Amino acid sequence: MDFSWHIITQWWPNILQALGVTVIIFIVAGLLSVLLGLIVGALPSFNNPVLTAASRIYVSIFRNTPLLVQLFFLFYGLPAVGIRMSPFVTGVLGITLNEGAFMAEIFRGNIQSINRGDWEAAKSLGLSHFQVLAFVILPQAVRDALPAVTGQLSIVIKDTSLLSLIMIVELTRVSNQIYTRLFDLTGFSVALILYVTLNILMTGLSEMLARRVQVRR
Amino acid sequence: MNTIVEFDRVTKRFGDNVVIDDLSVPFYEGETHVVCGRSGAGKSTLIRCINFLETIEEGCIRFKGTVVDKKNVRSIRKRVAMVFQNFNLFPHLSVIDNLTLGPVRSLGIPRREAEDQAMHFLKQVGLEDKRQAHPYQLSGGQKQRVAIVRSLAMKPDLILFDEPTSALDPEMIGEVLEVMKKLSLDGRSMIVVTHEMGFAREAADRISFMSDGKLVETQAPKAFFSNPLHDSTRQFLSQIL
Amino acid sequence: MAGYDVIFHFLGTGLIEVIRLVPICVVLSLIAGALIGIVQTVRIPVVNQLISVYLVFMRGVPPLLLLLVVFFVAGFESARLSAVFTLSIYHAAYIAEIFRGGIQAIPLGQFEAADTLALRFHRKMIDVIIPQVWRAILPALTGQYIILIKDTALVSAIGVMEILYNARQAMQVVYKPILIYAIVGLLFYILCFSLERLSAYFERHLQTMQGVQ
């Protein structure tokens, strides 16, 4: 593996910008996928066959097909029927739809494992289904889901590298650019280090959250 | 009488906790030696040191003159069998495969011969019709009898019993103790950690009372029950009998 | 209608390529992962630290980037070989973690019983421990291999002619991106879904074989 300080200093502005793009996409798509997962994951609790089926079908489709295929569908497919979005929006949408399915599975499981008694107790107070869900069930389920969610978020970091294939200049693409221009692997070395660092930070954050949650219990 | 196992100033600690405290004691060939005492006294640890499931900090244990250490561990385990409280049968193997695994893989006995031998012992404990059963299909008492046969199949010089009836439902304890009594009568060398005082009285050649990592006293059964030397033994017996 | 035979041809050969790639990667990553997982449970000082570095690295690196790096650095004869190698070492890290967890979940008494029978380490693992690990880790293994199947879509980036690569070829002839990518998705869905069903079948089968403990 190559590692040349010269190339790093020369390309530093590009690398920094690409890192910024990676991090921003990670944050936006990460937050949106958690939100989407929360909504879809909560649908089965309404005991409405249509909502439950919709949630199931969505999760099954997006979990059992590759993210890259979903991205290409959005990026190359939709313009053919007149829907045009910027690469950035396409990328964020693709990751959100894909990871939303994984997040939904996590939340669904945690909502299901909340004691039935909590539902019954809250409903006997005259709260509506939605109120029970929002004020009693979800706060507990979200807390239980934290470790799994942060684990899934570290996969979202890795997902962002696929956006290099739909014209977004993020870390993977910039390191590939350095290679194709200079036939030098320094860019790849830098990208590897940065991705692994991001993941270690994410793991640290998740362990910290997990400890916090345990203390509060 | 020949010693089969000898403890020579043995100390075993778990962290700061002394489990075996400067213990010296012989165990004799052909004898059934029962070790009793309160839970946490170090009885299980004592016998687990003999086949190197636990390592000792100080002193020396000898099995038939061979020092029990890392170097000799396999040759000693080939000759020392153990019966566990929780049976520890291999759940994915049939009874017959449980019984032949050790002889075939460790001792290098041909499979046919190992199977014949296993069937011979299995008949002795009345379980020959269970040869193809899996452990989950057996009752607790049957499991423990199979586990005893598994230890016999290794043709051991010594069998260690680590509370063999403690995990059993009361109605199944008898069938296991029956088998153990038979082995004792055959003149096998056995060290038995147990709370079954009836078994100790009938089958033991020697009984030791263990407390705080020491063997407080060791006597023949008659004397042990009728005339215990130590207050702590007396107290223990009055509580348990 | 003209064009469907082209789509069918390209996606069909792509599918065959995936069906050729996946089993090799499964076998290689399973062997490597099992060995690494077993070594981890034994705790050998330096070796274990090296394994930890490998695991942290593989957890952090995006598989697409790893594919590119190995392709440019290692100089394998073919892109396909490079892809097999990369996907195998990448997934071996996850398989190793699954195996380690599975081994550590086996009751201590099983190890002790095997030790008491004077079994050597490899016999203890092969005859006693690993057969019991399978059932516990089967769902996790399947989950990992579903990810592997989906990751084969990435190898189009280094020119391996799998489904996604061939989809683009087909589009040079018949420009129907929505249809083509929908079929590509469907093909992957069928692959992943059948693996899931297969694992559920084996899980039941193993259960009836070993009973409920």
Side-chain angles (χ1 to χ4, degrees):
Chain A
M1 286 297 289
D2 303 335
F3 198 86
S4 141
W5 284 111
H6 174 69
I7 291 176
I8 292 179
T9 44
Q10 200 187 337
W11 282 76
W12 189 240
N14 305 57
I15 295 173
L16 208 61
Q17 202 180 3
L19 176 65
V21 171
T22 292
V23 170
I24 286 172
I25 290 175
F26 162 62
I27 292 173
V28 176
L31 284 176
L32 288 177
S33 63
V34 169
L35 204 64
L36 180 62
L38 206 53
I39 295 168
V40 176
L43 288 182
S45 78
F46 286 88
N47 292 324
N48 174 326
V50 178
L51 291 182
T52 306
S55 159
R56 271 221 185 130
I57 290 170
Y58 160 72
V59 168
S60 180
I61 289 177
F62 280 87
R63 270 167 54 109
N64 284 320
T65 53
L67 171 59
L68 190 56
V69 175
Q70 295 159 20
L71 284 170
F72 281 1
F73 185 89
L74 298 175
F75 191 73
Y76 295 112
L78 291 190
V81 291
I83 303 170
R84 272 167 216 290
M85 295 176 291
S86 71
F88 182 87
V89 172
T90 310
V92 168
L93 182 66
I95 293 179
T96 302
L97 285 173
N98 178 271
E99 290 295 343
F102 287 90
M103 298 290 181
E105 266 306 271
I106 295 171
F107 286 122
R108 187 187 55 81
N110 280 293
I111 290 171
Q112 235 167 30
S113 61
I114 300 288
N115 205 333
R116 282 213 64 80
D118 285 23
W119 281 102
E120 285 153 13
K123 282 204 174 152
S124 70
L125 296 175
L127 299 180
S128 72
H129 185 95
F130 184 78
Q131 284 171 319
V132 180
L133 190 65
F135 302 126
V136 181
I137 305 301
L138 280 188
Q140 301 181 62
V142 168
R143 184 198 59 198
D144 296 345
L146 265 184
V149 167
T150 47
Q152 194 63 38
L153 282 175
S154 67
I155 295 175
V156 177
I157 300 178
K158 300 207 252 185
D159 288 344
T160 61
S161 82
L162 298 194
L163 304 195
S164 64
L165 298 175
I166 58 165
M167 310 295 160
I168 293 178
V169 185
E170 42 62 78
L171 265 182
T172 301
R173 191 165 178 103
V174 88
S175 57
N176 204 7
Q177 280 175 347
I178 295 175
Y179 180 78
T180 44
R181 296 241 177 110
L182 308 172
F183 284 101
D184 183 284
L185 297 159
T186 301
F188 285 131
S189 308
V190 173
L192 286 176
I193 293 169
L194 288 175
Y195 278 118
V196 172
T197 309
L198 284 176
N199 184 271
I200 290 172
L201 289 177
M202 193 66 219
T203 312
L205 186 72
S206 108
E207 275 166 10
M208 207 179 75
L209 280 173
R211 265 202 304 278
R212 274 257 187 103
V213 168
Q214 244 159 19
V215 170
R216 252 192 297 163
R217 237 178 253 188
Chain B
M1 236 178 329
N2 295 324
T3 52
I4 188 158
V5 174
E6 186 165 19
F7 278 62
D8 186 1
R9 305 208 61 179
V10 171
T11 297
K12 161 79 190 169
R13 295 186 199 92
F14 288 123
D16 289 337
N17 192 10
V18 179
V19 191
I20 297 176
D21 187 5
D22 195 23
L23 180 75
S24 295
V25 62
F27 296 91
Y28 296 105
E29 217 167 313
E31 284 200 349
T32 298
H33 194 138
V34 167
V35 180
C36 61
R38 291 189 171 77
S39 59
K43 311 175 302 272
S44 289
T45 310
L46 178 87
I47 59 169
R48 286 162 59 86
C49 288
I50 297 171
N51 63 352
F52 211 68
L53 287 182
E54 306 283 354
T55 52
I56 59 177
E57 270 76 46
E58 284 163 41
C60 171
I61 300 172
R62 270 181 230 93
F63 171 76
K64 288 194 154 185
T66 313
V67 176
V68 177
D69 61 11
K70 202 163 180 150
K71 188 171 94 256
N72 298 325
V73 58
R74 250 171 60 77
S75 73
I76 284 167
R77 282 177 179 167
K78 281 181 189 173
R79 295 189 289 161
V80 179
M82 186 171 223
V83 176
F84 298 88
Q85 180 177 348
N86 294 311
F87 332 124
N88 294 342
L89 292 177
F90 305 127
H92 59 296
L93 297 179
S94 65
V95 166
I96 191 73
D97 288 341
N98 263 281
L99 301 179
T100 54
L101 181 65
V104 172
R105 296 297 195 193
S106 290
L107 306 180
I109 296 171
R111 182 168 296 279
R112 280 299 301 272
E113 199 183 318
E115 279 181 14
D116 289 348
Q117 212 185 85
M119 284 311 292
H120 166 75
F121 288 124
L122 213 47
K123 264 181 209 141
Q124 286 192 347
V125 301
L127 290 174
E128 66 267 37
D129 55 328
K130 299 288 185 192
R131 61 171 288 166
Q132 292 302 346
H134 274 71
Y136 70 92
Q137 296 165 314
L138 304 176
S139 72
Q142 291 172 329
K143 279 184 202 171
Q144 195 60 301
R145 282 186 278 159
V146 170
I148 291 172
V149 170
R150 182 171 69 179
S151 71
L152 293 176
M154 291 293 283
K155 298 248 166 121
D157 296 335
L158 169 68
I159 309 178
L160 308 170
F161 291 84
D162 188 2
E163 306 206 21
T165 56
S166 298
L168 294 176
D169 292 334
E171 71 271 20
M172 294 174 177
I173 291 175
E175 60 191 75
V176 171
L177 291 179
E178 260 336 288
V179 172
M180 290 169 60
K181 277 181 210 161
K182 233 190 270 176
L183 296 178
S184 175
L185 279 177
D186 289 348
R188 292 202 175 253
S189 310
M190 300 161 50
I191 302 177
V192 184
V193 171
T194 184
H195 298 287
E196 295 295 330
M197 289 301 120
F199 170 81
R201 196 192 295 267
E202 277 180 63
D205 296 290
R206 240 174 263 268
I207 307 176
S208 293
F209 176 68
M210 189 166 187
S211 175
D212 293 328
K214 290 183 191 302
L215 292 187
V216 178
E217 69 173 283
T218 301
Q219 297 219 58
K222 233 184 211 156
F224 184 85
F225 286 107
S226 61
N227 193 17
L229 299 171
H230 275 260
D231 286 346
S232 55
T233 317
R234 206 167 295 140
Q235 231 174 11
F236 173 75
L237 286 175
S238 71
Q239 282 167 1
I240 201 166
L241 292 177
Chain C
M1 210 176 99
Y4 285 105
D5 54 334
V6 176
I7 297 174
F8 182 78
H9 168 75
F10 274 110
L11 297 189
T13 41
L15 181 65
I16 289 168
E17 180 67 25
V18 170
I19 292 171
R20 285 171 58 177
L21 282 176
V22 169
I24 306 173
C25 295
V26 166
V27 170
L28 290 179
S29 63
L30 197 58
I31 294 171
L35 286 177
I36 295 166
I38 291 168
V39 170
Q40 263 188 302
T41 60
V42 196
R43 300 206 179 84
I44 311 165
V46 181
V47 177
N48 265 16
Q49 268 133 22
L50 287 175
I51 291 177
S52 300
V53 172
Y54 160 73
L55 294 178
V56 168
F57 185 80
M58 289 303 169
R59 257 203 303 271
V61 63
L64 175 64
L65 181 63
L66 194 66
L67 277 163
L68 294 173
V69 170
V70 171
F71 183 64
F72 293 133
V73 173
F76 280 102
E77 287 171 36
S78 69
R80 181 196 280 158
L81 217 56
S82 191
V84 166
F85 175 79
T86 310
L87 290 180
S88 298
I89 58 162
Y90 177 75
H91 284 274
Y94 290 88
I95 306 287
E97 288 286 86
I98 294 170
F99 248 89
R100 186 181 55 81
I103 292 171
Q104 282 171 348
I106 302 287
L108 194 60
Q110 292 292 311
F111 291 86
E112 292 185 344
D115 284 339
T116 303
L117 293 177
L119 294 177
R120 287 178 197 281
F121 179 79
H122 71 278
R123 291 260 62 106
K124 170 169 72 176
M125 283 298 167
I126 295 170
D127 292 330
V128 177
I129 304 302
I130 302 298
Q132 298 187 56
V133 168
W134 287 124
R135 200 186 73 192
I137 67 173
L138 195 66
L141 272 186
T142 316
Q144 194 57 42
Y145 286 129
I146 286 176
I147 299 177
L148 169 71
I149 291 178
K150 292 189 288 175
D151 278 352
T152 61
L154 305 179
V155 306
S156 59
I158 57 170
V160 178
M161 291 183 248
E162 48 64 74
I163 303 177
L164 208 50
Y165 185 96
N166 283 9
R168 233 177 300 173
Q169 301 293 310
M171 244 169 324
Q172 308 285 327
V173 187
V174 195
Y175 191 71
K176 287 189 161 73
I178 293 251
L179 176 72
I180 290 178
Y181 284 122
I183 297 175
V184 172
L186 183 67
L187 290 177
F188 274 105
Y189 187 90
I190 292 169
L191 286 177
C192 296
F193 189 76
S194 8
L195 179 61
E196 203 181 87
R197 293 290 92 202
L198 194 69
S199 130
Y201 168 79
F202 277 126
E203 210 178 334
R204 270 199 311 278
H205 187 68
L206 280 174
Q207 246 159 25
T208 48
M209 224 171 63
Q210 295 184 5
V212 187
Q213 287 129 33

